[in-house]
mmCIF file of all heavy atoms in Angstrom:
data_model
loop_
_atom_site.group_PDB
_atom_site.id
_atom_site.type_symbol
_atom_site.label_atom_id
_atom_site.label_comp_id
_atom_site.label_asym_id
_atom_site.label_seq_id
_atom_site.Cartn_x
_atom_site.Cartn_y
_atom_site.Cartn_z
ATOM 1 N N ARG A 261 -26.673 -3.154 14.967
ATOM 2 C CA ARG A 261 -25.536 -3.592 14.173
ATOM 3 C C ARG A 261 -24.533 -2.462 13.976
ATOM 4 O O ARG A 261 -24.930 -1.366 13.659
ATOM 5 C CB ARG A 261 -26.014 -4.103 12.826
ATOM 6 C CG ARG A 261 -24.865 -4.687 11.950
ATOM 7 C CD ARG A 261 -25.419 -5.260 10.645
ATOM 8 N NE ARG A 261 -25.924 -4.234 9.764
ATOM 9 C CZ ARG A 261 -26.769 -4.479 8.760
ATOM 10 N NH1 ARG A 261 -27.254 -5.679 8.564
ATOM 11 N NH2 ARG A 261 -27.154 -3.481 7.988
ATOM 12 N N LEU A 262 -23.277 -2.809 14.153
ATOM 13 C CA LEU A 262 -22.178 -1.856 13.891
ATOM 14 C C LEU A 262 -21.559 -2.163 12.546
ATOM 15 O O LEU A 262 -20.966 -3.227 12.354
ATOM 16 C CB LEU A 262 -21.122 -1.972 14.986
ATOM 17 C CG LEU A 262 -19.898 -1.080 14.849
ATOM 18 C CD1 LEU A 262 -20.269 0.375 15.119
ATOM 19 C CD2 LEU A 262 -18.789 -1.507 15.807
ATOM 20 N N ASP A 263 -21.741 -1.279 11.600
ATOM 21 C CA ASP A 263 -21.116 -1.428 10.290
ATOM 22 C C ASP A 263 -19.810 -0.633 10.264
ATOM 23 O O ASP A 263 -19.752 0.485 10.767
ATOM 24 C CB ASP A 263 -22.035 -0.926 9.182
ATOM 25 C CG ASP A 263 -23.246 -1.810 8.984
ATOM 26 O OD1 ASP A 263 -23.087 -3.027 9.152
ATOM 27 O OD2 ASP A 263 -24.328 -1.276 8.669
ATOM 28 N N MET A 264 -18.790 -1.227 9.648
ATOM 29 C CA MET A 264 -17.549 -0.544 9.521
ATOM 30 C C MET A 264 -17.082 -0.652 8.070
ATOM 31 O O MET A 264 -16.541 -1.636 7.659
ATOM 32 C CB MET A 264 -16.466 -1.120 10.437
ATOM 33 C CG MET A 264 -15.140 -0.420 10.339
ATOM 34 S SD MET A 264 -13.950 -1.018 11.558
ATOM 35 C CE MET A 264 -12.420 -0.276 10.955
ATOM 36 N N ALA A 265 -17.416 0.354 7.288
ATOM 37 C CA ALA A 265 -17.014 0.405 5.884
ATOM 38 C C ALA A 265 -15.903 1.446 5.715
ATOM 39 O O ALA A 265 -16.178 2.655 5.715
ATOM 40 C CB ALA A 265 -18.214 0.757 5.011
ATOM 41 N N LEU A 266 -14.688 0.952 5.607
ATOM 42 C CA LEU A 266 -13.559 1.860 5.465
ATOM 43 C C LEU A 266 -13.536 2.485 4.093
ATOM 44 O O LEU A 266 -13.691 1.768 3.098
ATOM 45 C CB LEU A 266 -12.246 1.102 5.722
ATOM 46 C CG LEU A 266 -11.971 0.689 7.149
ATOM 47 C CD1 LEU A 266 -10.801 -0.263 7.178
ATOM 48 C CD2 LEU A 266 -11.727 1.874 8.030
ATOM 49 N N PRO A 267 -13.348 3.785 4.009
ATOM 50 C CA PRO A 267 -13.227 4.419 2.698
ATOM 51 C C PRO A 267 -12.000 3.899 1.975
ATOM 52 O O PRO A 267 -10.944 3.698 2.570
ATOM 53 C CB PRO A 267 -13.109 5.913 3.008
ATOM 54 C CG PRO A 267 -12.669 5.964 4.444
ATOM 55 C CD PRO A 267 -13.225 4.753 5.122
ATOM 56 N N ASP A 268 -12.148 3.643 0.691
ATOM 57 C CA ASP A 268 -11.059 3.093 -0.147
ATOM 58 C C ASP A 268 -10.414 4.209 -0.895
ATOM 59 O O ASP A 268 -11.034 4.819 -1.796
ATOM 60 C CB ASP A 268 -11.625 2.045 -1.103
ATOM 61 C CG ASP A 268 -10.564 1.420 -1.975
ATOM 62 O OD1 ASP A 268 -9.375 1.783 -1.831
ATOM 63 O OD2 ASP A 268 -10.890 0.578 -2.821
ATOM 64 N N PRO A 269 -9.139 4.520 -0.593
ATOM 65 C CA PRO A 269 -8.478 5.618 -1.325
ATOM 66 C C PRO A 269 -8.363 5.353 -2.818
ATOM 67 O O PRO A 269 -8.190 6.244 -3.614
ATOM 68 C CB PRO A 269 -7.101 5.719 -0.672
ATOM 69 C CG PRO A 269 -6.880 4.388 -0.035
ATOM 70 C CD PRO A 269 -8.225 3.899 0.372
ATOM 71 N N GLY A 270 -8.453 4.054 -3.235
ATOM 72 C CA GLY A 270 -8.399 3.732 -4.659
ATOM 73 C C GLY A 270 -9.618 4.219 -5.402
ATOM 74 O O GLY A 270 -9.605 4.298 -6.637
ATOM 75 N N LEU A 271 -10.682 4.609 -4.691
ATOM 76 C CA LEU A 271 -11.884 5.032 -5.343
ATOM 77 C C LEU A 271 -11.749 6.440 -5.964
ATOM 78 O O LEU A 271 -12.673 6.913 -6.638
ATOM 79 C CB LEU A 271 -13.059 5.027 -4.391
ATOM 80 C CG LEU A 271 -13.487 3.627 -3.865
ATOM 81 C CD1 LEU A 271 -14.591 3.742 -2.849
ATOM 82 C CD2 LEU A 271 -13.929 2.738 -4.999
ATOM 83 N N ILE A 272 -10.669 7.122 -5.708
ATOM 84 C CA ILE A 272 -10.546 8.477 -6.243
ATOM 85 C C ILE A 272 -10.193 8.491 -7.742
ATOM 86 O O ILE A 272 -10.197 9.520 -8.376
ATOM 87 C CB ILE A 272 -9.485 9.311 -5.491
ATOM 88 C CG1 ILE A 272 -8.079 8.770 -5.693
ATOM 89 C CG2 ILE A 272 -9.849 9.408 -4.026
ATOM 90 C CD1 ILE A 272 -7.004 9.687 -5.107
ATOM 91 N N HIS A 273 -9.819 7.348 -8.312
ATOM 92 C CA HIS A 273 -9.512 7.315 -9.735
ATOM 93 C C HIS A 273 -10.519 6.428 -10.432
ATOM 94 O O HIS A 273 -11.230 5.665 -9.770
ATOM 95 C CB HIS A 273 -8.073 6.802 -9.967
ATOM 96 C CG HIS A 273 -7.886 5.366 -9.616
ATOM 97 N ND1 HIS A 273 -8.217 4.322 -10.447
ATOM 98 C CD2 HIS A 273 -7.422 4.772 -8.478
ATOM 99 C CE1 HIS A 273 -7.952 3.153 -9.849
ATOM 100 N NE2 HIS A 273 -7.485 3.417 -8.654
ATOM 101 N N PRO A 274 -10.748 6.463 -11.749
ATOM 102 C CA PRO A 274 -9.890 7.143 -12.718
ATOM 103 C C PRO A 274 -10.304 8.561 -13.062
ATOM 104 O O PRO A 274 -9.552 9.276 -13.740
ATOM 105 C CB PRO A 274 -10.069 6.249 -13.956
ATOM 106 C CG PRO A 274 -11.502 5.787 -13.850
ATOM 107 C CD PRO A 274 -11.727 5.573 -12.389
ATOM 108 N N ASP A 275 -11.497 8.974 -12.649
ATOM 109 C CA ASP A 275 -12.000 10.244 -13.163
ATOM 110 C C ASP A 275 -11.726 11.437 -12.263
ATOM 111 O O ASP A 275 -11.919 12.571 -12.676
ATOM 112 C CB ASP A 275 -13.526 10.141 -13.367
ATOM 113 C CG ASP A 275 -13.892 9.059 -14.418
ATOM 114 O OD1 ASP A 275 -13.155 9.023 -15.415
ATOM 115 O OD2 ASP A 275 -14.839 8.331 -14.211
ATOM 116 N N THR A 276 -11.296 11.141 -11.056
ATOM 117 C CA THR A 276 -10.911 12.242 -10.160
ATOM 118 C C THR A 276 -9.610 11.900 -9.492
ATOM 119 O O THR A 276 -9.159 10.763 -9.508
ATOM 120 C CB THR A 276 -11.980 12.438 -9.044
ATOM 121 O OG1 THR A 276 -12.088 11.241 -8.269
ATOM 122 C CG2 THR A 276 -13.339 12.755 -9.654
ATOM 123 N N GLY A 277 -8.981 12.894 -8.890
ATOM 124 C CA GLY A 277 -7.768 12.619 -8.159
ATOM 125 C C GLY A 277 -6.577 12.332 -9.093
ATOM 126 O O GLY A 277 -6.577 12.663 -10.264
ATOM 127 N N VAL A 278 -5.587 11.675 -8.517
ATOM 128 C CA VAL A 278 -4.356 11.432 -9.248
ATOM 129 C C VAL A 278 -4.360 10.034 -9.866
ATOM 130 O O VAL A 278 -5.178 9.207 -9.532
ATOM 131 C CB VAL A 278 -3.120 11.576 -8.308
ATOM 132 C CG1 VAL A 278 -3.056 12.969 -7.729
ATOM 133 C CG2 VAL A 278 -3.177 10.545 -7.184
ATOM 134 N N ARG A 279 -3.416 9.810 -10.760
ATOM 135 C CA ARG A 279 -3.272 8.479 -11.345
ATOM 136 C C ARG A 279 -2.718 7.508 -10.303
ATOM 137 O O ARG A 279 -1.937 7.914 -9.426
ATOM 138 C CB ARG A 279 -2.329 8.533 -12.539
ATOM 139 C CG ARG A 279 -2.886 9.344 -13.712
ATOM 140 C CD ARG A 279 -1.837 9.496 -14.799
ATOM 141 N NE ARG A 279 -0.691 10.268 -14.276
ATOM 142 C CZ ARG A 279 0.477 10.363 -14.902
ATOM 143 N NH1 ARG A 279 0.705 9.712 -16.007
ATOM 144 N NH2 ARG A 279 1.437 11.118 -14.379
ATOM 145 N N PRO A 280 -3.126 6.206 -10.355
ATOM 146 C CA PRO A 280 -2.651 5.249 -9.341
ATOM 147 C C PRO A 280 -1.118 5.221 -9.243
ATOM 148 O O PRO A 280 -0.594 5.086 -8.130
ATOM 149 C CB PRO A 280 -3.191 3.939 -9.860
ATOM 150 C CG PRO A 280 -4.407 4.300 -10.665
ATOM 151 C CD PRO A 280 -4.069 5.626 -11.300
ATOM 152 N N LYS A 281 -0.430 5.332 -10.347
ATOM 153 C CA LYS A 281 1.038 5.211 -10.285
ATOM 154 C C LYS A 281 1.682 6.352 -9.509
ATOM 155 O O LYS A 281 2.824 6.245 -9.063
ATOM 156 C CB LYS A 281 1.648 5.094 -11.660
ATOM 157 C CG LYS A 281 1.653 6.373 -12.484
ATOM 158 C CD LYS A 281 2.408 6.123 -13.792
ATOM 159 C CE LYS A 281 2.582 7.410 -14.589
ATOM 160 N NZ LYS A 281 3.352 7.171 -15.832
ATOM 161 N N CYS A 282 0.945 7.475 -9.325
ATOM 162 C CA CYS A 282 1.505 8.577 -8.566
ATOM 163 C C CYS A 282 1.625 8.225 -7.098
ATOM 164 O O CYS A 282 2.345 8.908 -6.346
ATOM 165 C CB CYS A 282 0.626 9.807 -8.721
ATOM 166 S SG CYS A 282 0.584 10.487 -10.403
ATOM 167 N N ARG A 283 0.920 7.176 -6.653
ATOM 168 C CA ARG A 283 0.996 6.773 -5.278
ATOM 169 C C ARG A 283 2.036 5.674 -5.050
ATOM 170 O O ARG A 283 2.171 5.157 -3.930
ATOM 171 C CB ARG A 283 -0.361 6.294 -4.775
ATOM 172 C CG ARG A 283 -1.449 7.337 -4.838
ATOM 173 C CD ARG A 283 -2.699 6.912 -4.106
ATOM 174 N NE ARG A 283 -3.280 5.690 -4.666
ATOM 175 C CZ ARG A 283 -4.189 5.695 -5.658
ATOM 176 N NH1 ARG A 283 -4.559 6.830 -6.174
ATOM 177 N NH2 ARG A 283 -4.650 4.553 -6.099
ATOM 178 N N ASP A 284 2.746 5.289 -6.085
ATOM 179 C CA ASP A 284 3.662 4.152 -5.964
ATOM 180 C C ASP A 284 4.859 4.448 -5.090
ATOM 181 O O ASP A 284 5.583 3.545 -4.690
ATOM 182 C CB ASP A 284 4.143 3.705 -7.360
ATOM 183 C CG ASP A 284 3.062 3.002 -8.138
ATOM 184 O OD1 ASP A 284 2.032 2.640 -7.501
ATOM 185 O OD2 ASP A 284 3.180 2.823 -9.340
ATOM 186 N N GLY A 285 5.082 5.715 -4.730
ATOM 187 C CA GLY A 285 6.202 6.025 -3.855
ATOM 188 C C GLY A 285 6.038 5.480 -2.444
ATOM 189 O O GLY A 285 6.993 5.368 -1.684
ATOM 190 N N LEU A 286 4.798 5.159 -2.086
ATOM 191 C CA LEU A 286 4.542 4.544 -0.783
ATOM 192 C C LEU A 286 4.682 3.044 -0.948
ATOM 193 O O LEU A 286 3.874 2.399 -1.623
ATOM 194 C CB LEU A 286 3.145 4.919 -0.293
ATOM 195 C CG LEU A 286 2.826 4.696 1.179
ATOM 196 C CD1 LEU A 286 3.756 5.563 2.048
ATOM 197 C CD2 LEU A 286 1.372 5.024 1.478
ATOM 198 N N THR A 287 5.715 2.476 -0.350
ATOM 199 C CA THR A 287 5.978 1.064 -0.538
ATOM 200 C C THR A 287 4.924 0.198 0.094
ATOM 201 O O THR A 287 4.100 0.666 0.881
ATOM 202 C CB THR A 287 7.347 0.689 0.089
ATOM 203 O OG1 THR A 287 7.252 0.843 1.511
ATOM 204 C CG2 THR A 287 8.459 1.570 -0.441
ATOM 205 N N GLY A 288 4.938 -1.080 -0.196
ATOM 206 C CA GLY A 288 3.938 -2.005 0.331
ATOM 207 C C GLY A 288 3.898 -1.999 1.846
ATOM 208 O O GLY A 288 2.794 -1.913 2.421
ATOM 209 N N GLU A 289 5.043 -2.124 2.489
ATOM 210 C CA GLU A 289 5.047 -2.156 3.963
ATOM 211 C C GLU A 289 4.641 -0.817 4.557
ATOM 212 O O GLU A 289 3.894 -0.761 5.538
ATOM 213 C CB GLU A 289 6.443 -2.537 4.461
ATOM 214 C CG GLU A 289 6.813 -4.006 4.212
ATOM 215 C CD GLU A 289 8.123 -4.379 4.875
ATOM 216 O OE1 GLU A 289 8.695 -3.497 5.573
ATOM 217 O OE2 GLU A 289 8.551 -5.527 4.676
ATOM 218 N N ALA A 290 5.111 0.273 3.948
ATOM 219 C CA ALA A 290 4.735 1.587 4.463
ATOM 220 C C ALA A 290 3.248 1.834 4.271
ATOM 221 O O ALA A 290 2.556 2.413 5.133
ATOM 222 C CB ALA A 290 5.544 2.671 3.757
ATOM 223 N N ARG A 291 2.705 1.403 3.117
ATOM 224 C CA ARG A 291 1.278 1.573 2.850
ATOM 225 C C ARG A 291 0.449 0.763 3.858
ATOM 226 O O ARG A 291 -0.557 1.255 4.347
ATOM 227 C CB ARG A 291 0.974 1.119 1.431
ATOM 228 C CG ARG A 291 -0.461 1.369 1.003
ATOM 229 C CD ARG A 291 -0.686 0.867 -0.412
ATOM 230 N NE ARG A 291 0.190 1.554 -1.335
ATOM 231 C CZ ARG A 291 0.421 1.157 -2.577
ATOM 232 N NH1 ARG A 291 -0.141 0.044 -3.036
ATOM 233 N NH2 ARG A 291 1.224 1.816 -3.393
ATOM 234 N N LEU A 292 0.891 -0.447 4.158
ATOM 235 C CA LEU A 292 0.176 -1.287 5.108
ATOM 236 C C LEU A 292 0.184 -0.673 6.500
ATOM 237 O O LEU A 292 -0.851 -0.627 7.181
ATOM 238 C CB LEU A 292 0.825 -2.695 5.156
ATOM 239 C CG LEU A 292 0.145 -3.717 6.097
ATOM 240 C CD1 LEU A 292 -1.283 -3.972 5.619
ATOM 241 C CD2 LEU A 292 0.960 -4.998 6.132
ATOM 242 N N ALA A 293 1.344 -0.167 6.918
ATOM 243 C CA ALA A 293 1.451 0.457 8.241
ATOM 244 C C ALA A 293 0.555 1.683 8.315
ATOM 245 O O ALA A 293 -0.095 1.917 9.344
ATOM 246 C CB ALA A 293 2.898 0.834 8.516
ATOM 247 N N ARG A 294 0.526 2.474 7.234
ATOM 248 C CA ARG A 294 -0.330 3.667 7.223
ATOM 249 C C ARG A 294 -1.795 3.259 7.305
ATOM 250 O O ARG A 294 -2.593 3.886 8.019
ATOM 251 C CB ARG A 294 -0.067 4.426 5.938
ATOM 252 C CG ARG A 294 -0.832 5.725 5.788
ATOM 253 C CD ARG A 294 -0.289 6.826 6.696
ATOM 254 N NE ARG A 294 -1.020 8.056 6.556
ATOM 255 C CZ ARG A 294 -0.734 8.991 5.640
ATOM 256 N NH1 ARG A 294 0.286 8.817 4.781
ATOM 257 N NH2 ARG A 294 -1.446 10.085 5.574
ATOM 258 N N MET A 295 -2.172 2.210 6.574
ATOM 259 C CA MET A 295 -3.556 1.752 6.602
ATOM 260 C C MET A 295 -3.937 1.245 7.984
ATOM 261 O O MET A 295 -5.052 1.520 8.459
ATOM 262 C CB MET A 295 -3.741 0.618 5.576
ATOM 263 C CG MET A 295 -5.190 0.117 5.475
ATOM 264 S SD MET A 295 -5.411 -1.069 4.135
ATOM 265 C CE MET A 295 -4.527 -2.478 4.830
ATOM 266 N N ARG A 296 -2.997 0.551 8.661
ATOM 267 C CA ARG A 296 -3.282 0.043 10.004
ATOM 268 C C ARG A 296 -3.529 1.208 10.970
ATOM 269 O O ARG A 296 -4.450 1.163 11.806
ATOM 270 C CB ARG A 296 -2.121 -0.803 10.499
ATOM 271 C CG ARG A 296 -1.808 -2.068 9.735
ATOM 272 C CD ARG A 296 -3.036 -2.918 9.559
ATOM 273 N NE ARG A 296 -2.699 -4.223 9.036
ATOM 274 C CZ ARG A 296 -3.455 -4.909 8.173
ATOM 275 N NH1 ARG A 296 -4.583 -4.386 7.756
ATOM 276 N NH2 ARG A 296 -3.109 -6.103 7.760
ATOM 277 N N ARG A 297 -2.711 2.231 10.888
ATOM 278 C CA ARG A 297 -2.912 3.386 11.772
ATOM 279 C C ARG A 297 -4.267 4.060 11.506
ATOM 280 O O ARG A 297 -4.967 4.450 12.433
ATOM 281 C CB ARG A 297 -1.788 4.406 11.588
ATOM 282 C CG ARG A 297 -0.422 3.951 12.071
ATOM 283 C CD ARG A 297 0.540 5.112 12.211
ATOM 284 N NE ARG A 297 0.751 5.835 10.980
ATOM 285 C CZ ARG A 297 1.675 5.502 10.075
ATOM 286 N NH1 ARG A 297 2.469 4.466 10.277
ATOM 287 N NH2 ARG A 297 1.816 6.208 8.989
ATOM 288 N N PHE A 298 -4.607 4.163 10.230
ATOM 289 C CA PHE A 298 -5.876 4.773 9.875
ATOM 290 C C PHE A 298 -7.042 3.934 10.403
ATOM 291 O O PHE A 298 -8.053 4.468 10.930
ATOM 292 C CB PHE A 298 -5.963 4.928 8.357
ATOM 293 C CG PHE A 298 -7.338 5.382 7.890
ATOM 294 C CD1 PHE A 298 -7.745 6.698 8.076
ATOM 295 C CD2 PHE A 298 -8.206 4.494 7.283
ATOM 296 C CE1 PHE A 298 -9.003 7.096 7.667
ATOM 297 C CE2 PHE A 298 -9.446 4.881 6.868
ATOM 298 C CZ PHE A 298 -9.855 6.214 7.058
ATOM 299 N N GLU A 299 -6.969 2.622 10.256
ATOM 300 C CA GLU A 299 -8.053 1.746 10.692
ATOM 301 C C GLU A 299 -8.250 1.863 12.212
ATOM 302 O O GLU A 299 -9.389 1.883 12.699
ATOM 303 C CB GLU A 299 -7.785 0.289 10.317
ATOM 304 C CG GLU A 299 -7.958 0.025 8.812
ATOM 305 C CD GLU A 299 -7.909 -1.447 8.495
ATOM 306 O OE1 GLU A 299 -7.792 -2.284 9.426
ATOM 307 O OE2 GLU A 299 -7.982 -1.774 7.295
#
């Protein structure tokens, strides 16, 4: 079996990393395109 569990960048909060709103500069379409490239 091939498992593919993509790491979720949202998992870095609330206790580590930056606040979610700090990432809001990446728009929905830009975020989706970035996620597609990463996948």
Side-chain angles (χ1 to χ4, degrees):
R261 184 176 69 200
L262 177 71
D263 290 325
M264 180 174 168
L266 290 170
D268 180 1
L271 294 177
I272 67 172
H273 68 82
D275 298 319
T276 61
V278 300
R279 293 173 297 167
K281 72 174 186 178
C282 295
R283 298 191 299 271
D284 288 347
L286 196 62
T287 66
E289 289 187 4
R291 185 181 302 165
L292 182 63
R294 183 73 180 273
M295 183 174 70
R296 298 308 190 215
R297 292 196 301 273
F298 172 74
E299 287 189 4

